[in-house]
Amino acid sequence: MKAIILVFIGGGFGSILRYGIGQLMMGFSQKFPYGTLLVNVVACLILGYLIGITSKGMLSNEMKLLLMVGLCGGFSTFSTFSAESFQLYNTGAVWSALLYMACSFVICLFAIYLGLMMGKG
């Protein structure tokens, strides 16, 4: 039961962060989902860092549940990414859809690597 509560708390906080960043980024553009891209990159950076410090034994199982499963799971928005990619494509913005998918994939992979290296120190 403790694990479920930790994931619940982390997930709720991550979801609130995702919502807040989305609201802040809405003023930048209605034509490109900058907020979701930013959230996914930041979530990957955080997750990579947490994986890195976990490999050094610096994160308890409880903190892994709270931060890695809960916070990062609630914060990252891959399902939203998929829906937005489809929406861009479906409305004829094929190049924007491809650019969005490519940027998300490449930059998030780099962010995971960077976070991992930062965590390993």
Side-chain angles (χ1 to χ4, degrees):
M1 186 65 165
K2 181 180 179 182
I4 292 171
I5 292 170
L6 289 169
V7 172
F8 176 76
I9 291 169
F13 187 64
S15 294
I16 291 168
L17 285 174
R18 179 180 69 222
Y19 175 76
I21 289 173
Q23 292 298 302
L24 289 172
M25 298 297 290
M26 269 203 305
F28 286 97
S29 174
Q30 297 293 335
K31 296 181 182 181
F32 193 84
Y34 291 109
T36 301
L37 178 60
L38 176 63
V39 165
N40 283 337
V41 171
V42 170
C44 287
L45 181 65
I46 292 169
L47 186 57
Y49 176 77
L50 293 172
I51 291 169
I53 64 172
T54 296
S55 72
K56 297 189 314 189
M58 296 175 60
L59 209 57
S60 69
N61 286 334
E62 290 83 8
M63 290 306 288
K64 285 186 220 177
L65 289 170
L66 179 72
L67 299 174
M68 295 173 79
V69 178
L71 178 72
C72 289
F75 185 54
S76 185
T77 56
F78 195 77
S79 60
T80 304
F81 157 78
S82 299
E84 289 171 342
S85 298
F86 180 79
Q87 183 179 16
L88 286 168
Y89 178 81
N90 203 35
T91 60
V94 176
W95 289 112
S96 288
L98 292 172
L99 177 64
Y100 178 51
M101 289 184 279
C103 286
S104 294
F105 183 72
V106 171
I107 295 170
C108 287
L109 282 178
F110 179 73
I112 286 283
Y113 172 76
L114 184 60
L116 179 62
M117 292 301 107
M118 289 167 51
K120 286 186 174 182

